[in-house]
Amino acid sequence: EAGVTQSPTHLIKTRGQQATLRCSPISGHTSVYWYQQALGLGLQFLLWYDEGEERNRGNFPPRFSGRQFPNYSSELNVNALELEDSALYLCASSRDRATVYEQYFGPGTRLTVT
Amino acid sequence: GQQVMQIPQYQHVQEGEDFTTYCNSSTTLSNIQWYKQRPGGHPVFLIQLVKSGEVKKQKRLTFQFGEAKKNSSLHITATQTTDVGTYFCAGPENTDKLIFGTGTRLQVFP
């Protein structure tokens, strides 16, 4: 069974630009979660999508947004990039809303803002 | 909001020594999860504990959920270099998201 995949692996942007990160969940999983992990720090919850709808979001400004497509893949968009947005962005999936606690993570996208 | 703290933040041990990380929540948890993140890697789900006082073992790893369901621990017996990484506990906030702990970074010296 293929795991969660994310693209790109690395992304370098300049301040003020927009970044788009992509995630494909494990086949059969309908829930997708996004986390931000700044260097050496813990995971901060960003967004949760299930069945195409945003179910919850963390304490991040509106310039962090995303969506989930009919095939359950997801996209995270970060507008007006700031230097402090540099981090590893992790996507995770779970089988459905009832299994929110057992999440499988992808390898992440390393975003660097210069 | 809910907070999940872990101690210690860092732990360096000699190979063969034991290691324990503690997880404390500001609120009672319905369940708790443990994840391991190898250096340069992504978090990997290890286990979920649900019952008060529950103890589960995975080879050299022993996981415990406190009686009050506000704390948990992960104990590794006779550490190996393959145990290196950061261990995170995670607890649910309401029913719709996980709050990850601050993590404990384990370094094992051969």
Side-chain angles (χ1 to χ4, degrees):
Chain A
E1 171 182 89
V4 177
T5 59
Q6 291 185 247
S7 63
T9 304
H10 295 91
L11 190 57
I12 300 175
K13 293 285 186 178
T14 56
R15 197 173 161 192
Q17 285 187 317
Q18 186 225 13
T20 298
L21 289 64
R22 296 180 176 82
C23 170
S24 291
I26 291 173
S27 176
H29 285 195
T30 65
S31 276
V32 172
Y33 314 84
W34 287 95
Y35 295 88
Q36 182 195 66
Q37 186 175 35
L39 190 61
L41 299 181
L43 286 78
Q44 301 300 314
F45 170 74
L46 265 166
L47 290 160
W48 172 29
Y49 292 96
D50 180 75
E51 296 285 356
E53 293 188 18
E54 182 180 301
R55 300 293 180 182
N56 203 348
R57 66 179 293 131
N59 296 324
F60 282 84
R63 56 190 187 84
F64 286 84
S65 66
R67 53 179 171 167
Q68 187 178 34
F69 300 99
N71 66 354
Y72 303 116
S73 66
S74 177
E75 191 174 89
L76 173 69
N77 295 293
V78 187
N79 293 319
L81 284 165
E82 299 179 2
L83 296 178
E84 52 264 36
D85 295 334
S86 294
L88 179 67
Y89 288 83
L90 291 160
C91 169
S93 74
S94 70
R95 193 173 68 240
D96 51 41
R97 292 176 67 181
T99 55
V100 63
Y101 310 129
E102 186 171 338
Q103 299 182 13
Y104 296 87
F105 284 81
T109 292
R110 173 76 59 187
L111 173 64
T112 302
V113 183
T114 61
Chain B
Q2 180 182 334
Q3 293 186 341
V4 181
M5 304 296 293
Q6 284 182 252
I7 55 171
Q9 189 175 4
Y10 301 98
Q11 183 83 58
H12 298 168
V13 300
Q14 203 73 34
E15 190 173 19
E17 292 182 335
D18 292 356
F19 158 77
T20 303
T21 173
Y22 300 91
C23 174
N24 294 287
S25 170
S26 58
T27 61
T28 301
L29 300 170
S30 58
N31 57 73
I32 194 160
Q33 282 65 235
W34 284 91
Y35 289 78
K36 176 184 178 182
Q37 185 174 22
R38 294 180 185 274
H42 56 277
V44 174
F45 175 81
L46 293 177
I47 207 162
Q48 176 177 282
L49 304 171
V50 179
K51 300 177 184 176
S52 169
E54 186 171 14
V55 178
K56 286 188 176 180
K57 293 189 175 184
Q58 288 181 350
K59 297 181 180 179
R60 296 177 294 103
L61 277 62
T62 302
F63 304 85
Q64 186 165 8
F65 202 6
E67 295 288 343
K69 302 184 78 172
K70 292 184 70 174
N71 57 73
S72 181
S73 65
L74 159 59
H75 179 81
I76 302 178
T77 303
T79 54
Q80 300 175 358
T81 54
T82 53
D83 297 324
V84 165
T86 301
Y87 293 84
F88 293 99
C89 62
E93 181 174 284
N94 302 317
T95 59
D96 53 11
K97 70 179 181 183
L98 278 181
I99 303 298
F100 280 79
T102 47
T104 295
R105 186 188 301 177
L106 172 64
Q107 182 62 264
V108 180
F109 295 105

